């Protein structure tokens, strides 16, 4: 007869004195009141608590302290109440599910590197406690008659060990599927988001909250301020509003349609991305290099990307264009963690990509003109009109029609992307446990590279997502930055290409 293996948690309970067994019984009685999900999901969530308690036991944490850290009240009522909320897609998100039909899924990744290895048991509990604070993330993508929408799903959201190429498509078509994934590897916690949920600002809010909750469970004395959400607070409707609806439309619309840009010349890889490379730079050095050219960090990096991109193409004429996302919250303050970003394109003829001093003035002028409030309102108006052309077309025939729309929004009009999340601010009680962060953009269709940068604790991480094995772009970029005295360490993934 097949022997059933002993449950390690049951064995652990049997070793405890009677008073501690009673405390655990009371603990899980309260758990039952806070968790009224389907039997399978409830069992998974209970096992998460059991695994965390075993972790604390092995770490020498007293039971009373462990039970206090894992207080069942941290679940709130999220797992005890049926799903009633649903969310119409925000204006920027509506195109993303349609684009999936054409070989693309917009996924991006945010990571935090801690100073100690990650405990999977505590990270899972951190997610269990954090998700209730982000109701628009605790959703699954569904098809309506005219548009996709987000429907609340009451489930146990999963933390996974990282073992795949970054920013792979999520399987959102399955019932109850989540539109984000939480991954861990050594000292790194990563969250990958389908752009239908959020933009970089909203994603960073989630990652910071998740990391702080993990640190609290690890025993850190976490404090909260305006830079960090407390998982115990009640969500505010303003935090998941469609903030685009509050922006007044302009009389003119522009920004989408442009002529194709020069592309880098490397052969497109079969695996996408085929590599992710991080330039881990001293933030003070980067700031000093930009100051030497009397410009901002974003303009400085754009100029270097233009030079590196020109070195990586065999084209002799035409224009290179770099897409720059723009956070609309700086014009229309909003607490929303949903999409509230637009973008512009900075364009230069190849003949004008010569040296930083010659390029910086032109880049700076374009950036100021194209990212000011009136220009962004014109872009948003163009978005409204474009999406409006499909508004009353049933989804069953809208997806084929979206091929034409997605063509206007495709990456052929850009050579590269630079998304700069700026400096991440956190309370000292949290920042002290963090080594660095990174921001990785998902793959484009024709662009050979996409770039993103984020800064924390005096470390600026510039991450390059590669869609070609040709190393010319990153080698030139490294040489250019080094020549300006920027100290850096180059890290990254293996080459995912046969």
């Amino acid at each position: 007869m097949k022997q059933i293996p002993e449950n390690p948690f049951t064995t652990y309970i049997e070793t405890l004195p009677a008073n501690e067994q009673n405390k655990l019984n009371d603990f899980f009685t309260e758990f039952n009141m806070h968790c009224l999900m389907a039997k399978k999901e409830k069992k998974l969530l209970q096992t998460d608590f059991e695994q965390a308690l075993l972790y604390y036991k092995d770490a020498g944490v007293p039971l009373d302290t462990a039970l206090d850290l894992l207080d069942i009240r941290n679940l709130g009522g999220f797992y005890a109440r049926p799903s009633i909320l649903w969310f119409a897609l925000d204006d920027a998100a509506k195109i993303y599910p349609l684009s999936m039909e054409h070989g693309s899924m917009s996924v991006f990744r945010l990571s935090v590197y801690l100073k100690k290895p990650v405990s999977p048991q505590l990270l899972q509990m951190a997610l269990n406690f954090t998700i209730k604070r982000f109701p628009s993330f605790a959703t699954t993508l569904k098809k309506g008659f005219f548009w996709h929408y987000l429907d609340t799903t009451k489930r146990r959201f999963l933390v996974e060990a990282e073992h795949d190429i970054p920013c792979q498509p999520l399987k959102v078509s399955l019932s109850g599927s989540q539109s984000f994934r939480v991954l861990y590897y050594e000292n790194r916690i990563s969250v990958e988001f389908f752009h239908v949920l959020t933009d970089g600002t909203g994603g960073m809010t989630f990652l910071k909250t998740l990391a702080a909750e993990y640190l609290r469970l690890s025993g850190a004395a976490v404090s909260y301020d305006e830079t960090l959400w407390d998982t115990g607070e009640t969500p505010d409707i303003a935090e998941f509003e469609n903030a685009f609806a509050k922006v007044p439309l302009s009389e003119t619309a522009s920004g989408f349609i442009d002529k194709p840009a020069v592309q880098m010349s490397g052969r497109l890889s079969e695996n996408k991305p085929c590599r992710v490379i991080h330039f881990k730079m001293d933030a003070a050095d980067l700031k000093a290099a930009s100051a030497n050219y009397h410009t901002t960090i974003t303009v400085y990096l754009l100029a270097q990307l233009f030079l590196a991109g020109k070195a990586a193409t065999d084209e002799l004429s035409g224009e290179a264009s770099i897409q720059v996302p723009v956070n609309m919250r700086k014009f229309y303050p909003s607490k929303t963690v949903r999409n509230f970003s637009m973008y512009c394109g900075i364009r230069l003829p190849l003949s004008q990509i010569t040296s930083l001093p010659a390029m910086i003035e032109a880049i700076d002028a374009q950036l100021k003109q194209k990212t000011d409030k009136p220009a962004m309102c014109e872009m948003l108006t163009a978005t409204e009109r474009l999406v409006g052309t499909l508004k009353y077309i049933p989804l069953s025939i809208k997806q084929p029609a979206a091929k034409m729309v997605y063509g206007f929004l495709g990456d052929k009009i850009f050579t590269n992307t630079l998304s700069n999340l700026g400096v991440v601010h956190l309370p000292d009680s949290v920042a002290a446990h963090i080594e660095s962060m990174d921001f990785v953009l998902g793959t484009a269709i024709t662009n050979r590279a996409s770039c993103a940068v984020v800064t924390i604790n005096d470390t600026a991480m510039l991450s390059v997502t590669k869609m070609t094995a040709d190393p010319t772009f990153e080698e030139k970029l490294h040489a250019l930055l080094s020549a300006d005295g920027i100290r850096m360490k180059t890290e990254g993934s293996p080459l995912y290409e046969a």
Side-chain angles (χ1 to χ4, degrees):
M1 182 167 35
K2 188 175 181 180
Q3 191 172 15
I4 300 175
E6 292 186 8
N7 184 329
F9 189 73
T10 302
T11 304
Y12 162 58
I13 292 176
E14 292 172 351
T15 66
L16 297 174
N19 67 319
E20 292 194 340
Q21 290 187 23
N22 290 335
K23 289 178 181 178
L24 280 173
N25 286 334
D26 292 343
F27 182 83
F28 282 104
T29 296
E30 190 173 0
F31 168 80
N32 286 329
M33 291 189 294
H34 283 74
C35 185
L36 301 176
M37 297 190 297
K39 185 176 180 180
K40 179 181 177 182
E41 295 292 320
K42 182 176 181 179
K43 178 60 179 174
L44 289 171
L45 195 60
Q46 179 173 331
T47 301
D48 291 340
F49 278 93
E50 294 174 354
Q51 292 298 313
L53 286 165
L54 288 174
Y55 171 85
Y56 284 134
K57 184 263 295 183
D58 292 341
V61 177
L63 180 62
D64 285 345
T65 302
L67 293 178
D68 184 55
L69 290 168
L70 296 171
D71 194 326
I72 296 296
R73 287 173 293 184
N74 288 310
L75 294 176
F78 177 79
Y79 300 96
R81 298 192 291 262
S83 303
I84 60 170
L85 292 177
W86 67 276
F87 303 89
L89 297 189
D90 62 69
D91 293 3
K94 287 179 178 177
I95 198 67
Y96 293 125
L98 302 180
S99 70
M100 288 191 301
E101 298 296 311
H102 309 288
S104 174
M105 186 178 197
S106 187
V107 177
F108 67 94
R109 171 185 181 129
L110 294 165
S111 302
V112 58
Y113 295 76
L114 303 178
K115 293 182 178 178
K116 293 182 179 179
V118 174
S119 158
Q121 299 93 331
L122 299 189
L123 181 58
Q124 181 64 64
M125 287 308 307
L127 180 56
N128 293 341
F129 291 155
T130 298
I131 192 62
K132 68 181 185 297
R133 188 68 179 79
F134 294 82
S136 61
F137 288 14
T139 53
T140 187
L141 185 68
K142 289 189 175 180
K143 290 183 177 182
F145 187 75
F146 291 113
W147 292 106
H148 291 81
Y149 65 97
L150 297 171
D151 195 25
T152 299
T153 178
K154 294 298 180 79
R155 54 165 291 179
R156 177 257 201 173
F157 292 84
L158 177 65
V159 163
E160 302 173 86
E162 186 174 343
H163 55 76
D164 203 355
I165 301 173
C167 295
Q168 293 304 289
L170 292 107
K171 298 178 180 178
V172 295
S173 60
L174 301 177
S175 177
S177 297
Q178 58 193 68
S179 298
F180 68 95
R181 60 168 72 96
V182 177
L183 306 166
Y184 62 89
Y185 176 75
E186 295 182 351
N187 67 325
R188 180 174 66 214
I189 298 172
S190 301
V191 189
E192 296 183 346
F193 301 93
F194 182 20
H195 228 317
V196 73
L197 282 186
T198 187
D199 58 14
T201 300
M204 182 57 73
T205 301
F206 180 85
L207 176 63
K208 292 196 300 184
T209 308
L210 177 67
E213 183 63 8
Y214 171 83
L215 290 170
R216 183 192 71 79
L217 291 171
S218 300
V222 173
S223 59
Y224 299 89
D225 60 18
E226 68 280 358
T227 67
L228 180 64
W229 286 14
D230 185 342
T231 59
E233 293 179 348
T234 301
D236 183 335
I237 190 172
E239 296 167 356
F240 43 90
E241 67 180 359
N242 176 14
F244 289 105
K246 299 169 68 173
V247 179
L249 300 182
S250 64
E251 294 182 0
T252 57
S254 66
F256 275 139
I257 303 174
D258 211 333
K259 57 185 177 182
V262 167
Q263 300 297 320
M264 299 181 209
S265 298
R267 180 178 60 85
L268 282 168
S269 57
E270 293 183 10
N271 291 320
K272 294 183 175 60
C274 66
R275 196 177 185 202
V276 176
I277 303 161
H278 304 293
F279 296 117
K280 190 175 182 180
M281 299 179 286
D282 184 286
D285 288 352
L286 178 59
K287 186 175 181 180
S290 304
N292 286 340
Y293 293 97
H294 308 288
T295 193
T296 65
I297 288 174
T298 298
V299 171
Y300 171 79
L301 289 175
L302 281 168
Q304 298 288 35
L305 296 185
F306 274 115
L307 287 169
K310 182 177 180 180
T313 182
D314 293 330
E315 297 288 344
L316 299 177
S317 62
E319 292 183 340
S321 177
I322 299 180
Q323 179 179 216
V324 180
V326 180
N327 187 356
M328 294 293 288
R329 295 168 183 84
K330 70 178 183 177
F331 303 122
Y332 301 94
S334 174
K335 296 190 293 183
T336 189
V337 292
R338 303 181 72 190
N339 288 289
F340 196 34
S341 298
M342 299 305 295
Y343 65 86
C344 72
I346 307 301
R347 300 180 73 91
L348 288 177
L350 290 183
S351 60
Q352 293 181 18
I353 301 174
T354 53
S355 65
L356 257 66
M359 297 159 55
I360 280 175
E361 184 177 352
I363 294 172
D364 185 55
Q366 282 193 51
L367 196 64
K368 287 177 179 176
Q369 176 190 355
K370 294 183 177 183
T371 64
D372 67 7
K373 191 173 182 178
M376 286 298 99
C377 287
E378 288 185 6
M379 169 67 82
L380 190 145
T381 301
T383 305
E384 289 286 330
R385 292 181 181 178
L386 192 59
V387 172
T389 62
L390 298 174
K391 185 174 182 180
Y392 295 115
I393 300 176
L395 193 59
S396 58
I397 58 176
K398 183 180 292 181
Q399 287 180 302
K403 184 173 184 179
M404 177 188 69
V405 175
Y406 192 66
F408 292 133
L409 301 176
D411 63 354
K412 290 184 179 180
I413 63 174
F414 300 111
T415 309
N416 198 341
T417 296
L418 177 64
S419 184
N420 186 356
L421 281 182
V423 179
V424 175
H425 299 284
L426 279 166
D428 291 342
S429 60
V430 176
H433 298 275
I434 294 174
E435 184 181 276
S436 61
M437 286 183 163
D438 68 43
F439 176 23
V440 176
L441 298 179
T443 57
I445 297 175
T446 61
N447 298 165
R448 269 62 172 181
S450 299
C451 301
V453 63
V454 63
T455 302
I456 190 171
N457 291 349
D458 302 320
T459 297
M461 191 82 84
L462 173 63
S463 300
V464 182
T465 308
K466 292 293 303 299
M467 273 65 78
T468 178
D470 180 353
T472 307
F473 173 77
E474 58 268 27
E475 289 177 353
K476 182 64 173 179
L477 182 59
H478 186 276
L480 290 167
L481 296 171
S482 297
D484 277 341
I486 298 174
R487 290 167 290 179
M488 74 187 87
K489 182 179 180 182
T490 305
E491 304 171 342
S493 69
L495 180 63
Y496 302 110
E497 189 75 353

